[in-house]
Structures are given as structure tokens and as C-alpha cells.
Amino acid sequence: EAGVAQSPRYKIIEKRQSVAFWCNPISGHATLYWYQQILGQGPKLLIQFQNNGVVDDSQLPKDRFSAERLKGVDSTLKIQPAKLEDSAVYLCASSLESGWAETQYFGPGTRLLVL
Amino acid sequence: QKEVEQDPGPLSVPEGAIVSLNCTYSNSAFQYFMWYRQYSRKGPELLMYTYSSGNKEDGRFTAQVDKSSKYISLFIRDSQPSDSATYLCAMSGWGNKLVFGAGTILRVKS
């Protein structure tokens, strides 16, 4: 079974530029998550999709971050404009459903450095 | 106060040692407790999970939950250099929203 795929793996941009990350979840997984992991911290949930609808985006900085999951499969996360404090690893995860105790499977992440 | 507190380490032990990793939490609504392992430049992978107070064993790993004290632990017996990684505790309430600890860096020296 193929795992969660993410690209690019690394990205370096200057502040105020825009950047986009892509995620392809495990086939058949209805729920997709984007997490932000700042160095030395645990992952923090940014947004959760169930199919192509948003379940939870309470911690997404909506003035600069946006995400979509067209057709309920792949997803993109965009930052525009980027700030220095956005430097982090952006992890995508997926689970079969969104029910309690569903195992979340993580991708390798995209490491973003904002200069 | 953070919902989940975890000592970041690093924790350095000799090969074969017993390792104890711990987290405390403040939200009594948490019902589902997990340990994830994260190797350098990789995503977290689920190691163990438990729903109730008590112990759960899987090979060299034992997860322990004490809900009355809001304290969870992961024990690794006969630690190996391949166990060197960051260990993240995570927990959720009745939904599927995970709250992670900061992670403990473990180094097992051969």
C-alpha cells in the first residue's frame, strides 16, 4: 500500500513570497489533515478535510493560509504572503474516516524555510 | 499552560537500557492516547495506542496510562540504536483531533 505522498520535500523562499504544497493521501482515505511542525514542537493541526469539505480549520491563519481538496483526493496548502515564523515542516496525514480513534498516517513532510 | 507537556530531552542511553518516556496532560476530556515515533526528516508513525488506564504491551514497548494523574508513559525494553528517534505523545477526545506533545529526542548508543 502506497503511503501519503507530499511535494516538494524542501522549499526556500523569501518573506512575502507565496508557496504551495501538494499532498496525495492513501487511496480510499476520506479524511485529510494538514499539520504545521515548528522545530522543537509537536505537529499542530491546521485544517482537516472530510472528502472535499472542511471539518476543522480553527487553527488555520486564514489571512495568509488557504487549503483546498478538490474532488476529495489531492490537496494543496498555500501560504501568501509568507512570514519568517512560517518556517516549519508541513505534514499531510490521512485516515480512512474521521471517526474517533481512526489511525492517521503521515507523509514525509515539506520543509519550508522563509528567509 | 499547554494541554500536553513532554520533556524534549535529549535522552541518551546505552544499548540494552530500559527507556522511560512521559507526558502529562491537563484536559480531562482526552480519551485516546498514542505514541508516535518520528525519525529524522520523516513523518510521524503510530507506535502504540490505548484507550483506558493501565498497561498495554507490544513486543519491547509498553504504554501506560494513569487517567487519575493525567500521566502517560512509554517504556522501551532492551533499547536498540534503531530506536533512536523523536517520540511524540498524542491524545484526543471523542473527536479525531490530535494534540501532540513537543516530542522527546532519544539517542541509543551502541
Side-chain angles (χ1 to χ4, degrees):
Chain A
E1 178 182 75
V4 176
Q6 290 188 246
S7 68
R9 292 295 311 275
Y10 304 92
K11 192 75 177 177
I12 300 174
I13 62 172
E14 307 225 332
K15 60 183 178 182
R16 291 188 289 273
Q17 285 186 325
S18 63
V19 64
F21 313 127
W22 173 84
C23 173
N24 179 241
I26 293 173
S27 178
H29 280 196
T31 311
L32 185 147
Y33 314 79
W34 282 103
Y35 287 86
Q36 180 192 58
Q37 186 175 21
I38 293 171
L39 187 65
Q41 298 182 21
K44 182 185 82 170
L45 179 69
L46 293 176
I47 189 167
Q48 177 182 342
F49 292 94
Q50 176 70 15
N51 296 308
N52 60 351
V54 175
V55 174
D56 184 348
D57 64 356
S58 57
Q59 299 191 95
L60 187 74
K62 297 180 187 62
D63 57 334
R64 299 184 299 106
F65 286 65
S66 64
E68 60 182 10
R69 191 185 184 197
L70 299 175
K71 301 181 182 178
V73 181
D74 293 3
S75 177
T76 56
L77 176 70
K78 296 179 182 177
I79 308 175
Q80 181 179 5
K83 293 185 174 181
L84 296 178
E85 59 261 35
D86 298 331
S87 294
V89 176
Y90 290 85
L91 294 162
C92 179
S94 69
S95 63
L96 202 55
E97 291 295 340
S98 62
W100 182 63
E102 283 282 347
T103 298
Q104 297 185 25
Y105 298 87
F106 285 81
T110 295
R111 191 174 298 265
L112 173 68
L113 179 61
V114 182
L115 302 175
Chain B
Q1 182 189 7
K2 293 181 182 179
E3 280 190 287
V4 180
E5 298 277 1
Q6 184 176 10
D7 187 334
L11 182 61
S12 186
V13 301
E15 183 176 356
I18 297 175
V19 175
S20 172
L21 305 167
N22 312 293
C23 289
T24 58
Y25 63 96
S26 57
N27 189 343
S28 56
F30 288 143
Q31 300 292 332
Y32 179 52
F33 305 92
M34 292 143 280
W35 287 94
Y36 278 82
R37 178 173 61 195
Q38 186 173 25
Y39 289 114
S40 181
R41 300 188 185 278
K42 302 285 187 183
E45 58 176 336
L46 183 64
L47 197 57
M48 292 191 72
Y49 65 89
T50 182
Y51 310 110
S52 56
S53 283
N55 293 352
K56 181 178 181 181
E57 191 173 317
D58 184 1
R60 296 186 294 112
F61 299 89
T62 300
Q64 189 175 81
V65 173
D66 182 348
K67 287 188 178 179
S68 62
S69 301
K70 297 189 178 65
Y71 189 87
I72 70 170
S73 300
L74 178 71
F75 298 95
I76 307 174
R77 290 183 299 279
D78 188 25
S79 55
Q80 303 295 310
S82 58
D83 294 329
S84 298
T86 297
Y87 289 80
L88 296 154
C89 63
M91 43 200 83
S92 72
W94 293 111
N96 201 25
K97 181 175 180 178
L98 299 185
V99 179
F100 284 86
T104 299
I105 298 170
L106 172 66
R107 296 176 184 147
V108 182
K109 300 172 292 185
S110 58

